[in-house]
Amino acid sequence: MLDLEVVPERSLGNEQWEFALGMPLAQAISILQKHCRIIKNVQVLYSEQLVQESLFKQQCKVIEVYDLSKVKLKYCGVHFNSQAIAPTIEQIDQSFGATHPGVYNAAEQLFHLNFRGLSFSFQLDSWNEAPKYEPNFAMGLASLQIPHGAMVKRMHIYTGNNLQETRAPVMPLACFLGNIFAECVDVLRDRAGPLGLKLRLLTAGCGPGVMADSKVRSLERNIYFGDSCQDVLGALGSPHKVFYKSEDKMKIHSPSPHKQVPSKCNDYFFNYFTLGVDILFDSTSHLVKKFVLHTNFPGHYNFNIYHRCDFKIPLVIKKGETWDQIQELLGHPMEKPVVLHRSSSANNTNPFGSTFCFGLQRMIFEVMQNNHIASVTLYGAPRTASQARPESSSSSH
């Protein structure tokens, strides 16, 4: 049985790991995978109707314990729920002290007792009598007389005073782990098409000792088509992985007459997983020729490999969220989509199904079968050595 420490407004965990509010989804799943022998029977559930709101940032918003019989829980090192200690209303009062009057939800038949960043829900149908109200309590506020021995059914950890209005906090310093993250990514473009990316990055000090920098820093970096490997490394640092392309499956759709001529060298990607960005370099010139921006949408083949890239493509009117809306803003493709099949080997099938690739204005939108965008690939004419960068001020980075 897991033995976990409850920290209101912050986390649930132990000395080996913790789920923290504001933690990226990828890190939470990594914890589950690393401790799969202890944390078993894991399910990842999502609603496509609510996915736009709940997965916009893909950070931990609420931690819920829905079955207290399967875990031991303690607060400030002292257990309030275990095999020997029942989580009764008396035990909660003893462990956490006094709080404001609770709230009764008649539809759920649950009574909610709220602390800052923490709430407990008591099941009504287990009581022998209906709750009693005192309408004249505390200037009109009503309180419930909870029967002795009432048991906690659920527990929630969140930020602020109201579970219904809570939001995911900024990512905690402990979650940076020496990585950089993208707060937002703007696509730089002119009338002809994309020019590059403007990235607003977040980083935190991770050095040892008392003098270690413990503040989150924000900085901006611009990357353009035609930038060299050195330009990208100087702006973003080393990638998490370098991937060499063995083949270009989209090459057959190119109008170039030499499309069937095999290349002597392989183009290569810089994979920045925590940014949700891939950067493709030409194998001969070693200059940027392509950007790939990942949404990390659930149900996609590459889900949880990348963090979500919160990218913005400048348009005349407000941005669209689905492929139908994007087409209304950018226009409809002249050709039918290319069907993209992904699998780890020739004999394996992809349980998530195929995706469809549409080309518009030097951008390829990979669209899932539920009409949501999985990734956007940006193309641009690489700069020659004699051409200056599109924005001279960017050299200051």
Side-chain angles (χ1 to χ4, degrees):
M1 181 178 289
L2 293 174
D3 193 354
L4 306 176
E5 178 79 21
V6 174
V7 183
E9 280 200 299
R10 200 188 84 178
S11 65
L12 176 71
N14 54 31
E15 294 180 354
Q16 286 74 42
W17 55 266
E18 73 171 359
F19 294 120
L21 298 176
M23 170 181 282
L25 175 63
Q27 287 188 17
I29 295 179
S30 177
I31 290 175
L32 296 173
Q33 292 173 330
K34 184 177 180 180
H35 299 278
C36 60
R37 294 184 178 180
I38 301 174
I39 308 175
K40 302 178 181 180
N41 300 323
V42 175
Q43 291 181 309
V44 178
L45 305 177
Y46 71 96
S47 167
E48 291 191 3
Q49 287 77 20
L50 301 176
V51 77
Q52 287 295 331
E53 176 183 356
S54 60
L55 291 178
F56 180 73
K57 289 188 175 181
Q58 296 192 348
Q59 291 178 256
C60 181
K61 177 180 176 181
V62 176
I63 301 172
E64 177 185 358
V65 179
Y66 62 86
D67 189 347
L68 276 71
S69 66
K70 295 183 178 180
V71 293
K72 297 179 182 178
L73 299 174
K74 54 188 176 182
Y75 174 64
C76 294
V78 180
H79 284 97
F80 65 90
N81 175 67
S82 67
Q83 291 173 320
I85 303 174
T88 62
I89 181 62
E90 291 80 13
Q91 182 62 52
I92 298 302
D93 183 68
Q94 179 181 340
S95 299
F96 294 91
T99 186
H100 298 287
V103 178
Y104 175 64
N105 188 313
E108 297 178 331
Q109 289 192 328
L110 289 176
F111 172 77
H112 303 288
L113 190 64
N114 301 316
F115 299 83
R116 181 171 180 84
L118 183 69
S119 69
F120 297 95
S121 301
F122 298 86
Q123 183 71 54
L124 178 60
D125 58 13
S126 63
W127 301 353
N128 295 323
E129 57 179 328
K132 298 178 180 178
Y133 290 87
E134 295 179 5
N136 296 324
F137 176 81
M139 298 177 64
L141 293 176
S143 67
L144 285 175
Q145 295 179 351
I146 309 176
H148 295 292
M151 302 281 288
V152 176
K153 179 178 176 63
R154 294 200 301 259
M155 181 190 75
H156 295 86
I157 302 173
Y158 52 93
T159 301
N161 291 314
N162 193 321
L163 176 61
Q164 284 68 40
E165 298 178 1
T166 188
R167 295 183 178 181
V170 296
M171 185 165 56
L173 288 169
C175 292
F176 277 85
L177 303 175
N179 294 301
I180 58 172
F181 295 85
E183 184 178 12
C184 61
V185 176
D186 293 326
V187 176
L188 304 174
R189 62 193 296 260
D190 57 17
R191 294 182 179 180
L195 300 174
L197 301 178
K198 179 179 182 180
L199 302 99
R200 183 175 178 86
L201 306 175
L202 298 176
T203 182
C206 58
V210 179
M211 298 303 292
D213 188 357
S214 59
K215 294 182 179 179
V216 176
R217 293 183 176 181
S218 177
L219 44 99
E220 290 186 355
R221 295 291 186 263
N222 290 0
I223 305 294
Y224 296 95
F225 291 109
D227 277 359
S228 66
C229 290
Q230 291 80 2
D231 291 329
V232 175
L233 291 171
L236 303 180
S238 299
H240 294 92
K241 184 179 179 180
V242 178
F243 176 76
Y244 289 86
K245 295 181 62 176
S246 59
E247 58 180 336
D248 189 350
K249 295 182 179 180
M250 301 296 287
K251 189 174 183 180
I252 192 172
H253 300 283
S254 171
S256 304
H258 61 279
K259 61 184 177 182
Q260 299 296 339
V261 178
S263 175
K264 296 181 180 180
C265 302
N266 294 330
D267 294 346
Y268 53 95
F269 280 101
F270 277 8
N271 304 125
Y272 290 95
F273 297 130
T274 58
L275 302 181
V277 175
D278 293 328
I279 302 176
L280 180 67
F281 292 90
D282 184 87
S283 60
T284 303
S285 65
H286 304 286
L287 301 179
V288 174
K289 61 184 295 186
K290 182 194 296 185
F291 297 101
V292 183
L293 313 178
H294 299 271
T295 64
N296 196 39
F297 201 93
H300 186 256
Y301 184 76
N302 288 332
F303 176 67
N304 203 48
I305 295 178
Y306 298 86
H307 288 238
R308 178 183 176 88
C309 178
D310 182 17
F311 60 86
K312 299 177 182 178
I313 301 175
L315 301 171
V316 177
I317 55 178
K318 66 178 183 178
K319 66 178 181 179
E321 296 177 345
T322 66
W323 176 236
D324 290 339
Q325 293 171 309
I326 292 293
Q327 291 181 94
E328 292 178 4
L329 303 177
L330 294 179
H332 293 265
M334 299 296 294
E335 300 179 355
K336 293 183 178 180
V338 174
V339 182
L340 182 60
H341 302 279
R342 281 192 172 94
S343 62
S344 57
S345 68
N347 296 325
N348 289 346
T349 58
N350 178 1
F352 303 109
S354 303
T355 54
F356 306 93
C357 298
F358 299 84
L360 279 173
Q361 300 183 19
R362 295 215 315 254
M363 296 180 286
I364 293 182
F365 294 83
E366 182 189 359
V367 183
M368 301 170 63
Q369 295 184 19
N370 59 11
N371 206 35
H372 287 284
I373 296 172
S375 67
V376 176
T377 300
L378 311 177
Y379 289 88
R383 230 174 38 244
T384 63
S386 60
Q387 290 179 310
R389 302 187 71 190
E391 186 177 314
S392 59
S393 61
S394 62
S395 60
S396 62
H397 71 238

